[in-house]
């Protein structure tokens, strides 16, 4: 199995598993070449964002060893895989020494399903080279303090210096393949030809030049917390605590230009159990009153148990929300507010999936001309609100289920003269049509079936007005056939 | 039945709009009993010629026309009533097309109303198409138009079940009354039947670049836009009977027929008021005297007389003079040229110097070229040197003017594979599945094999998936639809009246080129003469070889004065020694040569024709060879075929013979036989061939032939449909086979250098050409900044072993490779180096200063090891190049040479060993003169007891052998049912491997992915041709890594071991070994 990315319009292998490597496939190869080697290749689109997420999660997990974890900027596609830096200065003894730490780290990685290799050295550069190039057989390579980095790195390929592929290739052309081969070369000619990069990287690896790494930036947490002198239990107290926590949280959010999408109110009981209340809103929001109302719907469900010691309010999901200038009365613009708030209340009570809105669909078939979407779904960019240039009017009210009617009409495709609906006869005084609508043949694979009586047959629609001035939208199903009585349906009302 | 003519017809030449072929529309209109049918594609007449042919066949009147889509106004249907009006329409379209990008057309209302070309619609019948929304702008526009165009203008109305058709028609009718324009009914037909709706929707999606699920309102709501019976139209327009009657009126007015274009050929100036025929006669007899200095043979005299008479009858003399003039021009510029194809059947062409096939040696079939019975113009194809053809084209433009000369188009059509890709996209298949299927499905095969469920499952898809089924179905429907116009390789139309009055001309993709809208078949059908100016690489090569020989050996050669019947040349060919030789250098030909053993020119004609799909599929090759070897008696199925088959020992090999069998044995009339030839050659597979099949085979059986022989004859005819090879054509080619063989035999250095300088052409890569030259004793010297030109050159050398066919004098020449062999080298940079060389360059910086060579150029040269004459190996040179300052930083130092700026500490770089040198040679030059990679790796293979390619000759048949080599060619000949042929090369030669399908299944990856392939298999031998039938295959590519590693190549145990992991994999492996030539 391989993952692919699209580079310059061509599909190339981004990463591959062991079986694929054994089949002779390599990273960077084009998909077509790989397929030629192994036609039954399983292919997935590479997802760099998900990869980055996974790496981030791994970095978070690695914080158990040291608070100082960074994501390797020099790893990644084609460069020996993604990597993490751990600065374990002063941490190793907590795990029983460097060996034990690496052992623990690699074991945990393996349990999590990752193939990992580790290098440990006095400089980031040397560790990088060891991890990627000295660990073919064993998974961990350690450079003990007594041994000089230059000795250990000497036989490794130049790629271990974190140089660009172009520079490595250029050096290889000069016959320089191993790190040790450039130790004693005169530096000026080397720099002149290959740039400062090479000496900088060499010095960093050997420790003659400092290298600073920047640790992963912590995610800003929007959280307020309150501990109580005495455990509380009354509903009013909990409510008051919530209000005390909401206001500062909303202030924090306003300063950060963020609005919450989800809020978690955690109540820590004296017996070490936690009660949680979660609310969600359809649009980013930081109005304490509104958020409070949403919580109140659920506060009654809380069982305080033996009392609550600590209350914490966190906002795990936030979206940017620009500062809005209030109008002169101090109110936020009120246009969409009531609707949004109503939506939140409804969603809170009925569940988010229960609140939908209608979106137009470009289809000639009336029953397919709209679809429902969750109310908080992002607007579809390609949403086409346009209608065709020429389309006769559509009824104000469309029946979900067309109703069968009896019709008298001239053959083959004349408009109805008389029709009977709900045991009443309607005499047609005016008619227009037919508008012939063909079925959407591409739904013929049974995935989006037509619900009866709607059928995958041509329909001829007529706009008719009866003697009373009522206007209907009726259709005949199928083309006229002398051997068959036509089926007629009422599908909507104009007025 | 109501008389009706459909006036608004969109064929598939309105690309991605119309969903029917012209012939489908014509047939359907005829079936419906229409009075006439129009063709109105959008701003084009590209489909008109086809429609004309189809209408003639189905006996229905065609109204030629176009739909004019304007940038700033409504659309018109425009129907010319006479030749002059047609010319103006064509010119109008040309105007619009020349303004726009390729494939587009920009026309404005002013062009129609004010423009001089269109003359305000004089002679045209115009039908105005109301826009979707009827607003006041349209009303005003009508008044504007009405002011200029008084007569013959109509307003169209449709009834396409929109729902509001009646109100709309009545609104338009009011408008018509107000502006006193008559109404005319049309059905805006986009297809011939309603059943094409699905295809029509898919075409819309392709056009709009969306999937069917996204298409929405871009699709029509229903499929009513098709041809409908007159009575139905009358019913729909029962309130407006005159709208129906007007269609017939228009049909009666528009009587212009495309046959009126039949040609007034441009007459070249002829001296003294003589007729072109007189001139042609004079030139023919003059030529005859030159061709036959000892007197013209009686047989030839008769032939010339006969041909001249026929040419006179048909009035083709000016055409022959035109070609003669073009050939004369080429000769005057010393551009080699030679006629090919059916023209070689004409002795007049031979006398005029257009073709080189001597009528005294080959029986000509003039009727194949020109005949009174076949009412179509002769077709003269002339090959020119590929590098200099442009000069000839420019000459034609200059002589006749761009307004009278133009290139014919090729109508590029959807093939099932390309159709599958696009339709797959439309139907929402993922890019990935499309790619997987398009590379694994056997597209060339019939439908059944194409949908082989196994193959589909193999790429992980469900063969029963309805969407997938539909994609296959639709792909087949759309295959054959034109998708765009492209330019024909060299078909020229030359007219006496301005060309744009005959057919619209549009811009081609290439700058400064224009293309007419019709292709070769269209022109043939309308009887318009054309001349094919083709390019042939071998002519370039031959001319270059002639130049070398004249320069270095003082011998002036021409195509005509090469010694004929040279024994040594035939000796060489009999040994299959034909690398680089025209036509007979392919693997199959090389195998055939020793079996056929050509000794005369006619043998070469047969050699060229025999290794073709026709004779192979017809199973004619082996019988012929057996009879030639005397192993089988020459006999004729029936005595009546003796005359037809005598020359080829009773076995039909040429296209003409197959035709003659149809006439003599199957009882076809000559024109039927010609229809058969057409069915198999042109208008690709439109399905008429099976109709002929039954008639052919039954005819032969009735006449007393065995079913088996009849079947084989027809098989052969089917084979010709892939690539027909008539005798005259084979003879033209055979001439070049002989010339190139002769050059290769006697001047191998000049020939190889000329071949290298004419690349890309032919079957082999430079590495093989060089190798072959060295095998023939030619010294090849490396590229060097102090010695090389852009092209390869010849240098004199003191002594070089004189091999069998090389003269002593010839063997004193050596090839110096040119800069052109260096990957990525630019010609202007190379020229600058040559121009500034003077007495040579002493150091790397000299090149930068004197020749202004850029760093990139110098780096390329260093990588190609081109500084050897300075005593620098590639690594030192590269170090020096890298050390050059990019640009002088301060003007103060500009006068100082680079290396004097300041002394640099010396750097000791690791020595390069031979393996590295060879690897780098391959990277930079795709070849190495130093050693063959296999030679360096040999210890490895020796330890495994592997053979060398040259050893195979001494191995007994059926013994098991092991050998390895670089992969040169992989082939999957269509005639060989899934068998793969692989050619591998080592330091001693090449070996041919055969991989049967069941082995292929097992070793697919190894066969396709290896650069260095190992094989174990049984040896087979046929004559002197040896094959190894692969049993097991090994990918030894990793061993190339040893070339650059410090480790000595270790013998490993070959079989079943994994690639040693400690070996540094060579990063440039892929780039190092040139891509093999696969499946071409």
């Amino acid at each position: 199995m391989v993952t692919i990315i699209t580079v310059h319009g061509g599909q190339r292998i981004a990463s591959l598993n062991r079986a694929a490597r054994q089949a002779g496939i390599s990273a960077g190869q084009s998909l077509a070449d790989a397929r030629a080697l192994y036609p039954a290749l399983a292919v997935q689109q590479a997802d760099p964002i998900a990869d980055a997420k996974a790496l981030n999660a791994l970095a978070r997990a690695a914080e158990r060893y040291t608070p100082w974890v960074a994501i390797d900027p020099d790893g990644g596609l084609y460069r020996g895989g993604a990597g993490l830096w751990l600065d374990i200065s002063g941490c190793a003894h907590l795990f029983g020494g460097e060996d034990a730490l690496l052992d623990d780290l690699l074991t945990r990685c393996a349990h999590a399903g990752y193939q990992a290799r580790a290098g440990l050295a006095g400089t980031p550069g040397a560790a990088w080279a060891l991890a990627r190039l000295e660990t073919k057989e064993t998974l961990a390579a350690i450079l003990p303090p007594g041994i000089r980095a230059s000795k250990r790195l000497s036989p490794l390929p130049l790629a271990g210096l974190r140089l660009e592929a172009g520079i490595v290739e250029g050096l290889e052309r000069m016959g320089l393949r191993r790190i040790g081969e450039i130790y004693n070369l005169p530096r000026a000619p080397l720099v002149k030809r290959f740039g400062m990069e090479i000496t900088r990287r060499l010095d960093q690896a050997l420790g003659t030049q400092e290298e600073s790494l920047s640790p992963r930036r912590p995610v800003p947490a929007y959280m307020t917390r309150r501990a109580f002198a005495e455990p509380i239990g009354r509903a009013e107290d909990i409510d008051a605590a919530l209000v005390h926590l909401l206001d500062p949280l909303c202030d924090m959010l306003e300063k950060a230009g963020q609005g919450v999408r989800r809020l978690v109110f955690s109540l820590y009981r004296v017996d070490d159990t936690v009660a949680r209340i979660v609310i969600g809103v359809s649009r980013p929001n930081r109005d304490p009153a509104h958020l409070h109302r949403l919580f109140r719907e659920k506060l009654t469900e809380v069982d305080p148990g033996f009392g609550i010691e600590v209350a914490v309010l966190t906002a795990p999901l936030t979206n940017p929300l620009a500062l809005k200038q209030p109008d002169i009365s101090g109110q936020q613009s009120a246009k969409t507010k009531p609707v949004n708030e109503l939506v939140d209340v409804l969603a809170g009570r009925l569940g988010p999936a229960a609140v939908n809105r209608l979106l137009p669909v470009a289809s000639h078939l009336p029953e397919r001309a709209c679809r429902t979407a969750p109310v908080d779904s992002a607007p579809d960019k390609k949403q086409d609100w346009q209608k065709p240039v020429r389309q006769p009017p559509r009824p104000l009210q469309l029946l979900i289920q067309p109703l069968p009617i009896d019709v008298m009409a001239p053959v083959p495709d004349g408009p109805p003269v008389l029709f009977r609906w709900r045991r009443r006869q309607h005499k047609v005084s005016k008619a227009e049509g037919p508008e012939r609508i063909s079925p959407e043949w591409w739904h013929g694979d049974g995935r989006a079936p037509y619900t009866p009586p709607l059928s995958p047959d041509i329909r001829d629609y007529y706009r008719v007005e009866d003697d009373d001035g009522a206007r209907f939208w009726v259709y005949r199903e199928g083309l006229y056939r002398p051997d068959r009585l036509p089926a007629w349906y009422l599908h909507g009302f104009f007025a | 039945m109501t008389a009706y003519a459909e006036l608004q017809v969109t064929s598939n030449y309105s690309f991605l709009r119309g969903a029917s072929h012209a012939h489908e529309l014509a047939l359907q209109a005829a079936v419906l009993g229409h009075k006439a049918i129009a063709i109105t594609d959008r701003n084009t007449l590209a489909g008109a010629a086809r429609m004309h042919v189809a209408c003639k066949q189905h006996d229905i009147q065609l109204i030629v026309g176009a739909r004019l889509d304007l940038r700033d106004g409504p659309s018109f249907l425009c129907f010319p009533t006479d030749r002059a009006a047609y010319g103006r329409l064509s010119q109008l379209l040309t105007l619009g097309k020349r303004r726009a990008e390729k494939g587009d057309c920009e026309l404005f209302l002013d062009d129609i109303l004010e423009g001089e070309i269109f003359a305000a619609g004089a002679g045209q019948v115009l039908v105005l198409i109301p826009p979707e929304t009827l607003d006041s702008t349209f009303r005003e526009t009508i008044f504007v138009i009405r002011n200029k165009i008084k007569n013959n203008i109509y307003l169209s109305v449709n009834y396409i079940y929109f729902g509001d058709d009646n109100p709309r028609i009545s609104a338009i009718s009011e408008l018509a009354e107000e502006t006193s324009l008559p109404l005319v009914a049309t059905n805006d037909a986009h297809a011939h039947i309603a059943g094409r709706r699905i295809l029509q929707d898919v075409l819309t999606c392709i056009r709009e670049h969306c999937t069917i699920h996204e298409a929405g309102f871009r699709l029509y709501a229903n499929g009513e836009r098709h041809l409908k019976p007159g009575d139905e139209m009358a019913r729909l327009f029962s309130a407006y009977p005159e709208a129906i009657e007007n269609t017939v009126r228009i049909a009666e007015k528009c009587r212009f027929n495309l046959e009126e274009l039949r040609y007034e050929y441009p007459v070249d100036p002829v001296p003294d008021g003589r007729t072109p025929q007189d001139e042609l006669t004079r030139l023919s007899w003059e030529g005859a005297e030159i061709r036959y200095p000892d007197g013209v043979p009686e047989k030839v005299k008769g032939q010339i007389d006969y041909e001249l008479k026929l040419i006179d009858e048909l009035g083709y003399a000016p055409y022959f003079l035109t070609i003669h003039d073009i050939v004369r021009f080429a000769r005057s510029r010393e551009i080699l040229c030679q006629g090919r194809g059916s023209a070689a059947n004409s002795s007049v062409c031979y006398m005029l110097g257009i073709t080189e096939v001597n009528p005294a040696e080959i029986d000509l079939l003039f009727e194949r070229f020109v005949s009174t019975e076949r009412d179509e113009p002769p077709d003269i194809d002339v090959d020119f040197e590929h590098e200099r053809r442009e000069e000839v084209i420019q000459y034609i433009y200059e002589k006749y003017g761009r307004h009278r000369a133009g290139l014919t188009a090729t109508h590029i059509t959807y093939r099932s594979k390309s159709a599958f890709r696009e339709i797959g996209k439309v139907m929402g298949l993922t890019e990935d599945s499309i790619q997987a299927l398009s590379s694994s499905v056997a597209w060339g095969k019939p439908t059944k094999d194409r949908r082989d469920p196994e193959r589909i499952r193999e790429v992980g898809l469900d063969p029963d998936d309805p969407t997938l089924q539909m994609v296959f179905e639709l792909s087949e429907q759309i295959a054959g639809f034109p998708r765009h116009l492209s330019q024909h390789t060299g078909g020229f139309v030359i007219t006496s009246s301005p060309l744009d009055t005959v057919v619209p001309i549009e811009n081609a993709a290439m700058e400064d080129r224009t293309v007419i809208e019709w292709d070769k078949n269209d022109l043939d059908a309308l009887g318009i003469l054309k001349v094919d100016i083709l390019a042939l690489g071998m002519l370039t090569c031959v001319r270059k070889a002639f130049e070398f020989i004249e320069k270095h050996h003082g011998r002036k050669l021409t195509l005509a004065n090469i010694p004929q019947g040279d024994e040594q040349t035939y000796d060489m060919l009999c040994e299959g020694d034909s690398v680089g030789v025209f036509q007979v250098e392919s693997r199959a030909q090389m195998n055939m040569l020793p079996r056929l053993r050509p000794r005369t020119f006619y043998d070469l004609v047969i050699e060229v024709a025999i290794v073709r799909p026709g004779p192979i599929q017809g199973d004619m090759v082996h019988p012929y060879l057996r009879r030639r070897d005397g192993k089988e008696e020459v006999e004729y199925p029936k005595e009546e075929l003796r005359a037809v088959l005598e020359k080829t020992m009773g076995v039909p090999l040429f296209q003409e013979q197959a035709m003659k069998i149809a006439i003599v044995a199957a009882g076809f009339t000559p024109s039927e036989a010609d229809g058969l030839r057409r069915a198999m050659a042109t208008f690709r597979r439109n399905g008429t061939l099976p109709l002929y099949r039954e008639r052919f085979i039954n005819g032969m059986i009735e006449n007393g032939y065995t079913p088996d022989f009849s079947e084989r004859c027809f098989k052969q005819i089917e084979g010709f449909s892939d690539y027909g090879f008539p005798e005259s054509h084979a003879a033209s080619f055979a001439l070049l086979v002989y010339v190139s063989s002769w050059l290769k035999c006697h001047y191998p250095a000049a020939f190889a250098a000329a071949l290298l300088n004419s690349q890309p052409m032919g079957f082999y890569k430079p590495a093989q050409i060089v190798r072959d030259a060295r095998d023939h004793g030619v010294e090849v010297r490396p590229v060097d900044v102090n010695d090389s030109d852009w092209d390869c050159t010849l240098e004199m050398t003191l002594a070089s072993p004189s091999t069998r066919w090389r003269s002593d004098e010839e063997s004193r020449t050596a090839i110096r490779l040119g800069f052109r062999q260096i990957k990525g080298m630019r010609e202007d940079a190379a020229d600058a180096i040559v121009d500034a060389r003077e007495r040579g360059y002493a150091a790397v910086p000299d090149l930068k200063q004197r020749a202004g060579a850029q760093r990139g150029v110098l780096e390329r040269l260093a990588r190609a090891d081109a500084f050897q004459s300075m005593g620098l190996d590639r690594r030192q040179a590269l170090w020096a190049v890298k050390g050059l300052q990019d640009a002088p930083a301060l003007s103060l130092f500009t006068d100082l040479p680079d290396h004097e700026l300041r002394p640099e500490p010396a750097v000791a770089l690791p020595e390069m060993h031979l393996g590295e040198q060879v690897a780098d040679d391959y990277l930079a030059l795709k070849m190495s003169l130093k050693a063959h990679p296999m030679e360096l790796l040999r210890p490895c293979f020796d330890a495994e007891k592997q053979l060398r390619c040259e050893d195979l000759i001494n191995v007994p048949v059926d013994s098991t052998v092991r050998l390895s080599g670089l992969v040169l060619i992989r082939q999957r000949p269509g005639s060989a049912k899934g068998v793969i042929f692989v050619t591998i090369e080592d330091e001693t030669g090449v070996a041919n491997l055969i991989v049967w399908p069941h082995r292929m299944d097992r070793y697919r990856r190894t066969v396709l992915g290896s650069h260095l392939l190992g094989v174990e298999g049984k040896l087979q031998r046929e004559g002197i041709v040896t094959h190894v039938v692969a049993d097991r295959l090994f990918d030894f590519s990793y061993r190339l890594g040893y070339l650059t590693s410090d480790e000595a190549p270790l013998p490993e145990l070959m079989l079943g071991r994994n690639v040693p992991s400690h070996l540094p994999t060579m990063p440039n492996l892929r780039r190092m070994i040139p891509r093999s030539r696969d499946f071409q």
Side-chain angles (χ1 to χ4, degrees), chain A residues 184-318:
Chain A
N184 296 321
L185 286 183
R187 289 203 160 194
L190 203 59
V191 168
K192 189 175 169 192
R193 287 167 175 82
F194 296 102
M196 291 295 289
E197 179 80 354
I198 181 167
T199 49
R200 185 171 71 90
R201 287 301 196 190
L202 183 62
D203 289 345
Q204 283 178 344
L206 299 181
T208 45
Q209 188 179 335
E210 274 297 308
E211 180 178 9
S212 60
L213 301 170
S214 38
R216 219 162 53 87
R217 203 165 55 86
V219 185
Y222 300 103
M223 182 180 93
T224 48
R225 178 176 184 276
R226 195 173 178 110
F228 308 108
E230 287 289 318
I232 58 170
R234 293 196 311 149
E236 302 89 89
D237 293 341
I238 296 174
D239 192 47
L242 176 64
V243 172
H244 279 293
L245 291 173
L246 255 178
D247 285 339
L249 186 80
C250 288
D251 283 349
M252 273 164 73
L253 288 164
E254 186 166 346
K255 281 190 192 111
Q258 298 280 319
V260 293
R261 292 293 305 280
R262 200 181 308 140
L263 267 181
V264 182
F265 187 37
S266 312
L267 298 163
Y268 292 81
R269 304 191 187 99
V270 285
D271 57 353
D272 268 2
T273 58
V274 188
R276 278 183 218 277
I277 307 171
V278 183
I279 58 153
V281 292
S282 59
R283 268 157 224 279
N285 192 307
R286 56 168 174 260
D287 176 8
H290 176 57
L291 297 172
H292 184 218
R293 179 152 7 117
L294 295 178
F295 270 120
R296 270 179 50 189
E297 306 261 333
K298 297 187 169 177
L299 274 185
T300 48
E301 300 162 14
V302 174
D303 171 16
F306 298 105
I308 290 157
E309 280 182 321
V310 176
V312 178
L313 187 64
T314 51
L317 181 61
T318 63

Side-chain angles (χ1 to χ4, degrees), chain B residues 277-296:
Chain B
Q277 183 67 29
D278 295 343
E279 182 69 4
L280 182 68
T281 310
R282 183 181 71 79
L283 287 169
S284 303
W285 289 111
E286 257 181 43
E289 271 166 40
I290 299 166
R291 292 283 192 187
Y292 302 100
D294 307 333
V296 185

Side-chain angles (χ1 to χ4, degrees), chain B residues 32-298:
Chain B
L32 295 176
H34 280 5
K35 169 98 173 70
I37 180 169
I39 178 157
T40 52
D41 284 314
R42 288 171 186 240
N43 293 336
T44 182
L45 289 167
R50 276 157 205 240
M51 194 69 174
H52 170 80
V53 173
C55 286
K56 205 164 130 190
Q57 191 184 348
H58 299 299
D59 202 18
I60 178 170
Q61 183 199 337
L62 169 66
I63 308 170
V64 177
R67 171 177 167 146
L68 303 175
D69 275 354
L70 307 181
R71 290 286 157 105
D72 62 344
S75 296
F76 288 90
L77 304 177
C78 175
F79 306 107
T81 55
D82 55 27
R83 171 70 182 85
Y86 171 83
R88 288 192 293 272
L89 171 61
S90 170
Q91 282 183 310
L92 178 77
L93 291 172
T94 305
L95 173 75
K97 282 164 183 292
R98 294 297 307 262
R99 273 182 195 154
E101 293 276 290
K102 171 182 190 284
D104 202 0
C105 184
E106 258 177 42
L107 285 175
F108 300 92
L109 193 54
D110 272 358
D111 295 326
I112 291 189
L113 301 181
E114 313 285 346
E116 280 171 32
I117 292 176
F118 199 56
Q124 321 274 3
V125 171
L126 292 174
V127 177
L128 192 52
I129 302 173
E132 294 284 0
T133 41
L134 298 171
D135 49 16
S136 55
T137 332
F138 179 57
R139 189 167 160 276
E140 283 154 25
T141 314
I142 298 184
F143 280 111
V144 173
I145 295 169
R146 205 74 185 94
N147 267 338
K148 290 282 176 185
I149 304 175
K150 311 283 184 211
N151 298 319
N152 283 333
I153 176 158
Y154 296 78
L155 200 50
S156 83
V157 282
N158 309 137
Y159 191 102
I160 317 186
Y161 290 83
F162 250 106
D164 61 352
D165 300 278
N166 281 327
R168 183 178 154 95
I169 294 172
S170 82
I172 294 175
S173 149
E174 274 169 33
L175 204 55
E177 211 144 291
E178 187 185 358
T179 53
S180 57
L181 289 182
L183 283 185
V184 57
T186 71
N187 204 40
D188 193 11
H190 279 62
H192 66 298
I193 47 165
R196 284 287 161 93
R197 174 179 171 241
I198 292 181
L199 190 64
Q200 154 89 55
D201 285 350
V202 168
L203 291 172
T204 304
C205 292
I206 300 177
R207 191 180 76 226
E208 298 282 341
H209 306 291
C210 61
T211 70
I212 189 75
H213 303 278
E214 297 161 356
F217 297 128
R218 284 171 278 198
L219 306 178
Y220 291 130
N222 59 43
E224 294 299 313
R225 287 172 172 79
H226 57 88
L227 294 177
K228 287 180 183 166
D231 287 344
E232 172 70 2
M233 291 302 286
R235 183 180 73 82
L236 296 176
F237 289 92
S238 52
Y240 305 92
E242 77 283 1
I244 299 290
E245 285 154 22
N246 278 339
T247 64
V248 179
R249 247 170 243 140
I250 290 175
E252 272 157 13
K253 257 182 236 168
C254 299
R255 284 287 174 187
F256 169 70
N257 188 320
L258 280 179
E259 293 194 354
E260 290 171 42
L261 297 180
R262 182 167 280 265
Y263 208 42
E264 326 97 51
Y265 198 76
V267 178
D268 277 24
V270 173
D272 322 333
R274 287 200 281 185
T275 65
Q277 183 67 29
D278 295 343
E279 182 69 4
L280 182 68
T281 310
R282 183 181 71 79
L283 287 169
S284 303
W285 289 111
E286 257 181 43
E289 271 166 40
I290 299 166
R291 292 283 192 187
Y292 302 100
D294 307 333
V296 185
E298 277 311 307

Side-chain angles (χ1 to χ4, degrees), chain A residues 137-156:
Chain A
E137 310 295 328
T138 57
L139 292 177
I142 300 179
L143 179 67
I147 301 192
R148 292 169 57 129
S150 57
K151 192 170 167 207
R152 212 33 202 279
L153 294 183
S154 176
L156 296 184

